[in-house]
Amino acid sequence: MAEEYSLYNPTVMDHFLNPRNMGDLEDADGIGEVGAAACGDIMKISLKIGNDGRISDARFKTFGCGSAIASSSMATELVKGKTIEEAMQLSNKNVVDALGGLPPVKIHCSVLAEEAIKAALDDYLKRHPEMAARVAAAKAQKQPNE
Amino acid sequence: MNKVYLDYQSSTPVLPEVLEAMLPWFRDYYGNASALHELGIRSKKALTRAREQFATAIHAAEPEEIIFTSCGTEANNLGVKGSAYALQSKGKHIILSTAEHPSVENSVAFLEKQGFTATRVPVDRQGRIDPAAIEAAITPETILIATHYANHDIGTIQPIELIGEIAERHKIQFFVDAAFSAGWLPIDVTRLRTGLISLSPHRFYGPKGVGVLYKNRKARLLSIISGGIQEGNRRSGTENVPAIVGAGLAMEIAETEREKRVAHVSALQKRLWEGLSAHIPYICLNGPLPGDGRHPCNLNISTEFIEGEGQLLLCNAAGIAVASGSSCSSKNLKASPVLSAIGQALTLMQGNLIFSLGKDNTEEEIDYVISSFTKIVERLRGMSPVWDAFQKGQVQSVIAPAK
């Protein structure tokens, strides 16, 4: 019944009603905040990143609709345990797919989640130039093969 | 508490006796009201009876002044476009407000593309139209004043009688959108001095699929649907006899019970607003305080630091059916034009929720909504980075700014 008569699919509803990783991180290594309340969505993502360059924890806080909350919940789930390089590759489509789809008018929520993750990673790399150099070097090495 | 329906402004259930009255017209008396045999004449008589019920309810001089359409939106389209087309040889200027229902606003916008011009008179912070501003907008070219009785979004009741006086003095046709008012607010077309007024039966316990346009004998109107000569050649198309029969009865009952229903919902409206404002900090009412200036069913609020669709979804999860004017809740991602017209802050437009009451709501339901909604607000604020920033003093409240 919940499936038939709800605005979103059961996965989206589950992430909205039981959001994963909601909150802030004490001593976050990277924080990204994107959006504007006037437009209806603000997402804030906090990341904990180890010396190995791996995301050990992620949290979100979101002002927004059901799909914005579900997208940020899912995005934090998707980047936990990932390396910075892997998390950089996260696309809004990954978020949409993991959520089992979003209504067309709500796709921008997943874009915002991607942007919030990237903003948090950028914040981390700004604070850690040595890691930024490592990521850039790895990228440069990888590109000729592509 | 099982389910609480607080979206009566978007639609009401059909009264059991109304449904009973409709059934034979589906099953036994299916004749086309234009047909000349027994079943046809039976249907035609049923239409006449419904016309009389509406004419009596709104004090129309004759039943023939009642035109049946397929819905309130069609009645508004016919009232606005039909007037403009009928009067275009006299002028092409239309006056309306900035807070009209889309069926009026978009009808005028459509006419503007065809060479008509329009002046949109602003509303104040409470959504009220200033009659003097309407009068000031009149030009020698003005052929129509089109406005609403009670606002569909924030419940503001307009000074319709005063606007009607102005229209009469300047001999300008006056159309009133009463789709959200009929059945709840008194309608006396002689006092309102309106040439045309629209009604929507599914908002007062009648069926969907039928709308009503009252047209004073003196008002000029051109049909906007081409076809046969139904409804005195004002609205072509086979009449929806079962719905019209149901609508007539619903109108009659609404008038008989109006004072009782209004007293009931008014008390609940006050209880709901007082309960919400006592329990939840940083919320505000959109539109006038409950009382004479506000539709007794409507409560439109904005809750700061959280967004409306999330509120709506959590209400739904708690069994409470409500509406929201936030951009995330709308299909075109645009926030409520009425909240914009009253100059509401952008963030408060996003935190918008609309409760609308009906005759069957109870005090227990209202108390459940107050306690549930208080928890919903706490939960969403707990997720909101803006609430965080406010707690840390990084942003100000729009509702209660610090000195």
Side-chain angles (χ1 to χ4, degrees), chain B residues 90-339:
Chain B
K90 293 173 74 180
K92 289 201 151 194
H93 181 243
I94 300 164
I95 298 169
L96 67 162
S97 84
T98 51
E100 301 303 326
H101 186 266
S103 54
V104 171
E105 165 56 37
N106 292 343
S107 288
V108 173
F110 173 84
L111 290 167
E112 286 179 290
K113 285 187 184 147
Q114 301 186 343
F116 288 86
T117 59
T119 301
R120 288 169 179 78
V121 171
V123 295
D124 69 12
R125 281 289 291 168
Q126 306 298 321
R128 282 193 205 92
I129 300 167
D130 177 6
I134 297 265
E135 187 157 26
I138 295 173
T139 75
E141 277 274 300
T142 306
I143 49 167
L144 179 68
I145 297 170
T147 188
H148 56 281
Y149 188 174
N151 190 272
H152 64 281
D153 194 343
I154 59 172
T156 312
I157 296 175
Q158 303 298 351
I160 288 302
E161 283 189 40
L162 295 176
I163 299 171
E165 265 178 42
I166 292 165
E168 192 175 68
R169 205 170 340 112
H170 292 266
K171 297 188 170 52
I172 295 169
Q173 189 150 310
F174 182 34
F175 165 79
V176 175
D177 166 13
F180 289 87
S181 317
W184 296 98
L185 303 177
I187 296 178
D188 179 342
V189 292
T190 54
R191 282 187 56 191
L192 298 179
R193 297 176 167 85
T194 174
L196 301 147
I197 189 163
S198 63
L199 291 77
S200 179
H202 78 99
R203 299 210 164 78
F204 50 86
Y205 304 92
K208 298 171 187 67
V210 57
V212 174
L213 183 68
Y214 157 82
K215 178 197 159 293
N216 181 289
R217 273 200 166 264
K218 287 186 226 156
R220 302 273 310 277
L221 191 73
L222 210 62
S223 175
I224 57 169
I225 295 181
S226 306
I229 54 163
Q230 291 90 351
E231 299 302 295
N233 207 12
R234 303 298 180 198
R235 199 277 180 181
S236 302
T238 301
E239 289 96 343
N240 183 352
V241 178
I244 292 169
V245 166
L249 181 57
M251 182 80 262
E252 189 180 301
I253 297 171
E255 270 311 293
T256 313
E257 292 190 1
R258 188 159 53 77
E259 281 178 27
K260 197 177 90 188
R261 287 181 184 176
V262 168
H264 178 71
V265 294
S266 297
L268 295 181
Q269 180 192 46
K270 196 162 171 280
R271 188 184 187 93
L272 180 57
W273 171 238
E274 287 175 357
L276 293 174
S277 52
H279 287 87
I280 303 168
Y282 309 105
I283 67 167
C284 68
L285 188 65
N286 295 309
L289 277 170
D292 290 344
R294 189 178 189 108
H295 193 299
C297 297
N298 171 289
L299 203 67
N300 181 313
I301 63 164
S302 285
T303 305
E304 205 168 3
F305 311 114
I306 54 176
E307 187 277 333
E309 192 211 80
Q311 298 173 41
L312 184 153
L313 286 170
L314 287 178
C315 281
N316 190 43
I320 304 166
V322 292
S324 170
S326 82
S327 55
C328 295
S329 322
S330 92
K331 284 176 190 150
N332 62 4
L333 297 179
K334 283 189 183 143
S336 154
V338 175
L339 295 184

Side-chain angles (χ1 to χ4, degrees), chain A residues 39-91:
Chain A
C39 307
D41 300 293
I42 294 181
M43 278 184 205
K44 181 184 172 192
I45 301 265
S46 310
L47 300 174
K48 196 90 194 125
I49 301 176
N51 291 331
D52 55 353
R54 214 168 261 285
I55 296 168
S56 58
D57 210 350
R59 292 276 191 281
F60 82 88
K61 279 217 163 169
T62 291
F63 167 103
C65 62
S67 64
I69 289 169
S71 293
S72 18
S73 167
M74 184 56 89
T76 54
E77 282 287 89
L78 290 175
V79 299
K80 272 208 301 192
K82 294 259 163 64
T83 63
I84 295 167
E85 289 90 338
E86 286 166 345
M88 282 286 191
Q89 301 300 313
L90 179 85
S91 72

